[in-house]
Amino acid sequence: MTQIVLKTEGLTLGYGDRAVIDDLSMAFPDRQVTSILGPNGCGKSTLLRALARLLRPSRGTVTLDGEDVFSLDTRALARRLAILPQAPNAPDGITVMELIKRGRTPWRGLLAAWSAQDLEKCTAALRHVGLGDQMDRPLNTLSGGQRQRAWIALVLAQDTPYLLLDEPTTWLDLRHQLEVLTLLRERNRRDGTTVITVLHDLNLAARYSDHLVLLGPAGLVATGAPDDVLSEDNLRHAFGLEAMVTPDPVTGTPMIVPR
Amino acid sequence: MRFAFPVLLLVFAAIATLAAGVRSVPVPEIWHALTAFDQTNPLHIVVRDIRLPRLIAGLAAGASLGMAGSIMQSLTRNPLADPGLMGVNAGAAFTIVLGAFLLGRADGGFIAALSFPGAALASLGVFAIGGGVRGETGPVRLTLAGIALNALLMSLVSAIVLTRTEALEVFRFWAAGSLAQANVRPLLEMSTIAALGAGSALLLAPRLEALALGSGLAKGLGTRPGRIQLGALAVVTMLTGAAVSIAGPIAFLGLMVPPLARRISGHTLRFEIMISALFGATILLLADTAGRLLIAPAEIRVGIMTALIGAPVFIWIARRLRPGALT
């Protein structure tokens, strides 16, 4: 029986008058990898941003351990939950280590002296993403895949039991997408970190996730294990896509082949 | 030690400020003037009454502008941002010419008294126009608001100085900054404000580092972007308001110092601010000393000297930027 800590109740999200997510009540299983899937514009990123208190709901709540994330002290919450938004901004010429250290922001005191633990978490995060020997290089001299791994190291260094990532594989080629998803799952299996990502690639999501949330134009279509969620019916509802679902010859997880 | 070189440079600039001029004073004599003042010795009087206030003014104004530039560049994510962008110089210019227009006064104390309120009001205006009141402010909005308010204030200044000759005289005299009026400016008050600004800047630096990653990530890291921006603009106002009250507008200093400082400090904002303070004071003092020596016994105002040095540095930075670096 998996425990539920992070959930939404009657969540309504929108920009201006337009509700992107309407009256959504659902739960995210603890210590699992969850992927949020759905067509463009269905509110995947919007939902993720609300989970991380970046977007205030027009109605309803997001609760972590029974407490509304908007009523929690934001710094205290930042020690439990990290989010990597899409397209963050890096100062021109910043080095990898200088960037990663900013992930320690919620743990630093008023005078913000560096503790041995801060530096240890940063180097551990860099080693985990395979950039242990690149820490003094300027970020903008790295390849696209390395750069994305550096950003992931920043939220890993934040050292939180909940890790939210908005499309962490966008712009990456297939090999680098696999690399990123592998390292997120490693983190989950090793430290029990709850990982929630927004993903576009259904087959990769099925391979790397324990739990899927499928959104469609009219809201939640299905949620549960990949085998249950990725059915031909659900895909038609969510994407308006006629597809065949067959076991992935390598992993046995559902694989989507459009007709 | 990363501070050794900037500190040595500043010590050299400070000694040059006290020693050089129409009457050059040997270093041992400077020491005597400071420790065993003899009021019958004219060299001692030059050091104590003319050059020492000038040194203090240069230290306070230069360090303030260096630090303010560093904060502005981090806040706007623009390596070419100048603290003048917050409208402080235009605000001070406006209140001064308005004062001269309405009251017909133009003495040093009067100018100093009007500078700081004008500077503070203008930067408050930039923050309000830039969406700060509704918590919607961001780097692009702030930059545009700064440009707009600067243009508005400077056209009002032009309108006033064109209709009243006294106002024109005051403006002409003030518009290129100078350390020459140091002894009639409120050095103690303004240095205190600058010191408070410097302390707050160092406390704010780690949160500004988070904000530079974008407001989404900054919130995720447990900071409050709106409050950080408000705090940073208050600090910039204190620092640049103090500087403009002491020395008038000093072009380019706040723009050129932080990129030079970053070559030593890297992207650790707290170090960058400290090195910027040292470099800002050093460059301003050296520029002032050079301005006093080049066409002695006349002098070139330090605001003109910094513009002469700053323009090439500006071009150098602009040429090194990669396309898209400002987005």
Side-chain angles (χ1 to χ4, degrees):
Chain A
M1 180 66 202
T2 47
Q3 207 189 346
I4 299 295
V5 176
L6 184 64
K7 55 184 168 190
T8 73
E9 249 157 70
L11 188 68
T12 301
L13 303 168
Y15 304 95
D17 288 338
R18 205 173 73 91
V20 181
I21 298 276
D22 195 15
D23 196 23
L24 178 72
S25 297
M26 60 168 301
F28 293 84
D30 240 40
R31 296 173 167 263
Q32 293 200 354
V33 177
T34 298
S35 294
I36 304 174
L37 306 170
N40 290 328
C42 73
K44 302 185 293 289
S45 297
T46 309
L47 174 60
L48 196 78
R49 287 168 57 80
L51 294 178
R53 51 90 172 81
L54 301 190
L55 181 72
R56 206 171 265 282
S58 30
R59 274 197 312 280
T61 54
V62 175
T63 54
L64 184 66
D65 227 350
E67 287 179 286
D68 188 339
V69 293
F70 286 92
S71 67
L72 286 167
D73 173 58
T74 185
R75 213 167 108 89
L77 183 57
R79 294 179 178 193
R80 297 169 67 190
L81 184 147
I83 178 161
L84 182 62
Q86 272 184 69
N89 202 295
D92 197 38
I94 193 170
T95 67
V96 171
M97 190 59 174
E98 285 169 340
L99 180 76
I100 307 317
K101 280 164 89 176
R102 296 185 182 191
R104 298 299 295 169
T105 306
W107 299 94
R108 300 174 74 196
L110 182 67
L111 293 178
W114 291 108
S115 69
Q117 197 196 11
D118 287 327
L119 299 175
E120 197 186 295
K121 294 283 180 190
C122 293
T123 45
L126 278 175
R127 271 201 305 274
H128 189 178
V129 304
L131 292 175
D133 50 352
Q134 311 277 329
M135 56 176 80
D136 293 323
R137 272 184 66 184
L139 186 73
N140 50 24
T141 63
L142 300 183
S143 71
Q146 288 175 319
R147 215 175 302 161
Q148 186 60 8
R149 282 186 280 141
W151 283 110
I152 290 171
L154 182 147
V155 281
L156 292 182
Q158 200 176 334
D159 194 29
T160 55
Y162 294 84
L163 185 55
L164 277 51
L165 305 103
D166 196 353
E167 299 196 21
T169 56
T170 318
W171 315 118
L172 300 182
D173 62 42
L174 187 57
R175 204 195 97 204
H176 289 114
Q177 291 184 33
L178 293 172
E179 248 173 43
V180 163
L181 293 172
T182 305
L183 81 88
L184 291 175
R185 197 171 57 177
E186 268 171 26
R187 175 77 170 205
N188 161 265
R189 298 290 189 260
R190 205 187 55 196
D191 302 340
T193 305
T194 305
V195 176
I196 303 174
T197 59
V198 169
L199 285 184
H200 265 299
D201 190 308
L202 301 175
N203 296 330
L204 288 181
R207 275 194 180 199
Y208 284 92
S209 315
D210 306 304
H211 188 85
L212 295 182
V213 175
L214 182 61
L215 299 175
L220 185 66
V221 173
T223 165
D227 281 323
D228 304 326
V229 170
L230 293 176
S231 69
E232 298 185 3
D233 266 359
N234 287 343
L235 290 170
R236 196 177 304 120
H237 276 129
F239 293 93
L241 176 79
E242 294 299 330
M244 198 174 104
V245 179
T246 161
D248 185 314
V250 178
T251 56
T253 52
M255 187 172 81
I256 286 85
V257 186
R259 287 182 201 273
Chain B
M1 182 58 199
R2 285 188 284 184
F3 282 110
F5 169 68
V7 168
L8 276 178
L9 270 185
L10 180 58
V11 169
F12 169 76
I15 294 173
T17 300
L18 294 178
V22 179
R23 298 185 71 160
S24 67
V25 182
V27 175
E29 207 60 54
I30 296 174
W31 182 249
H32 290 143
L34 296 177
T35 55
F37 182 57
D38 171 7
Q39 61 185 31
T40 58
N41 184 335
L43 285 183
H44 284 199
I45 292 173
V46 166
V47 169
R48 209 48 189 241
D49 291 350
I50 299 172
R51 292 191 191 157
L52 188 61
R54 202 161 178 146
L55 171 64
I56 294 167
L59 285 172
S64 293
L65 288 172
M67 291 186 281
S70 184
I71 295 167
M72 266 323 267
Q73 291 180 6
S74 171
L75 190 66
T76 58
R77 292 183 216 144
N78 179 349
L80 290 175
D82 185 274
L85 198 63
M86 283 311 294
V88 283
N89 293 337
F94 177 68
T95 44
I96 289 168
V97 297
L98 189 67
F101 175 76
L102 295 174
L103 307 171
R105 276 183 65 187
D107 50 285
F110 177 75
I111 288 178
L114 284 183
S115 297
F116 195 83
L121 280 175
S123 65
L124 201 67
V126 171
F127 186 67
I129 300 169
V133 179
R134 282 176 295 163
E136 290 171 353
T137 175
V140 177
R141 270 171 185 263
L142 277 181
T143 306
L144 290 177
I147 292 168
L149 195 72
N150 267 318
L152 172 70
L153 287 171
M154 288 320 287
S155 62
L156 290 174
V157 167
S158 304
I160 296 173
V161 300
L162 287 176
T163 53
R164 186 86 171 234
T165 359
E166 294 93 317
L168 178 62
E169 283 305 309
V170 173
F171 182 66
R172 233 164 48 91
F173 172 73
W174 178 83
S178 165
L179 299 178
Q181 287 82 43
N183 39 19
V184 297
R185 297 289 168 90
L187 280 188
L188 183 65
E189 293 85 337
M190 290 302 148
S191 304
T192 310
I193 291 178
L196 282 174
S200 320
L202 295 178
L203 282 178
L204 204 59
R207 287 165 193 80
L208 272 166
E209 285 184 342
L211 186 61
L213 304 175
S215 71
L217 194 46
K219 270 191 198 172
L221 289 168
T223 63
R224 295 180 181 83
R227 285 198 201 174
I228 301 171
Q229 272 162 344
L230 187 60
L233 295 180
V235 167
V236 169
T237 303
M238 287 162 86
L239 292 170
T240 47
V244 76
S245 304
I246 291 171
I250 304 285
F252 282 113
L253 191 66
L255 183 152
M256 69 172 144
V257 162
L260 298 175
R262 275 195 287 276
R263 297 178 81 87
I264 292 178
S265 67
H267 282 268
T268 302
L269 192 56
R270 195 175 274 178
F271 276 128
E272 185 191 312
I273 290 172
M274 290 192 261
I275 306 280
S276 290
L278 294 170
F279 277 180
T282 304
I283 294 176
L284 191 63
L285 289 174
L286 290 178
D288 182 54
T289 306
R292 284 187 287 133
L293 296 177
L294 281 177
I295 53 164
E299 63 175 80
I300 304 174
R301 300 171 73 89
V302 71
I304 296 169
M305 291 300 296
T306 56
L308 287 177
I309 307 167
V313 176
F314 180 90
I315 294 166
W316 170 70
I317 301 166
R319 284 181 58 94
R320 283 176 59 241
L321 287 176
R322 271 172 301 282
L326 296 186
T327 54

